Amino acid sequence: MAITALSEPPQIHRFRQSKYIDSVRWLPPLSALDRLAVIAVFDSDSDSAAIETHSFAPDPENLTQQSQWFSPSRISSLKTSQSHHKPLVASATLAGSIHILFGDSMDPASLESELSMPEKALHEGPISCVDIMDGGVECVSVGEDGRVNLVSVGESELSYQRIFDSSGLVSFTTAKWASPSEFATGGYGFSLQWWDQRKPGAAVSQFKGSWSQRTTPGIVHSIDIHPSRKHTCLAGGSLGTVFAWDLRWPQQPILLSGVGAGETTHSPCESEVWEVHFDHYAKSSNVGNVSSRILPTMICSEDGILAVVEQGEEPVELLAEPCAINSFDIDRQYPSDVICSLEWESIAILTRS
């Protein structure tokens, strides 16, 4: 496996925490001066979970807690958005509840109000993933129980609509909005589904990968959709696998990393890929027909790798840790900045040149 190093390594800020970090996200800023992170933490000693907001200052290096909200159960999924000029945090739990937290328009680091959907209202068991639409109007939730729900965010309450229930015959592990009416889901067997609310009843397109020759079926852990290429879904999962699924050619996925049937790729890792995002900061090495190529992709993995992969190119390693990197997020306002959570109770923030 060949991995390319950056000519100018990123500046890395490390912050030790006293609790396990389940997920990290940048909070959408209300001003250019805001650099706020949202962190889902779990304290094994007290068996308690919480969402914390922290302000980040690179010089002098500082990550300071600003607020804290205690969750009734350990957090399984965390997303951020913005609604009516207020930052918004959506979280799902292992007990099956969903919580929408609203920041203060004057003090965005303060989580001032909450709307919740109780346990077992949406799913029987843990919620695998929740994703919130840009603008904070609606969420999609999925679980291993095979249910897909749409949750509407009102001024004083949450309401929901169940759009699919496989009764456990199909399990879903992740979801991502593509447009106000479309979203994608992923699950076992490297499967992906595309849903359109204008065509209710079932997924309008499906794909199931079959590259692995091992007896253990592959799982899609994370998906992303590029805002300007909504026909392309990016997926990361088991065995270091990262691939792109283009709805225009739904049965011809493009393998970017991992072991493929008859395909050779440059793979930065061989373990679980926990999260994937299109990298809007990395410059593509391909100067040909850009519209037909998959844009650079950032991934994090169980074996401690944070890297950028690109179709037909060697991966670029950003960070290599002796522990798992279980989540990361690229700052929308400053895409050179990446925040990631390390299994050993630490947070790392990278700033690329």
Side-chain angles (χ1 to χ4, degrees), residues 54-129:
H54 291 247
S55 61
F56 169 62
D59 187 20
E61 183 178 286
N62 192 25
L63 189 69
T64 306
Q65 182 177 324
Q66 300 294 322
S67 68
Q68 185 179 53
W69 174 84
F70 286 98
S71 173
S73 175
R74 189 166 184 174
I75 294 161
S76 58
S77 183
L78 183 71
K79 298 294 171 62
T80 58
S81 185
Q82 188 171 315
S83 176
H84 303 295
H85 305 291
K86 289 184 177 182
L88 184 151
V89 178
S91 68
T93 71
L94 293 178
S97 59
I98 278 183
H99 307 271
I100 308 297
L101 309 176
F102 298 89
D104 190 325
S105 57
M106 300 301 294
D107 180 11
S110 174
L111 302 176
E112 64 170 3
S113 59
E114 171 203 356
L115 297 176
S116 296
M117 187 69 69
E119 301 172 12
K120 296 187 177 181
L122 298 171
H123 295 272
E124 288 292 335
I127 296 177
S128 300
C129 182

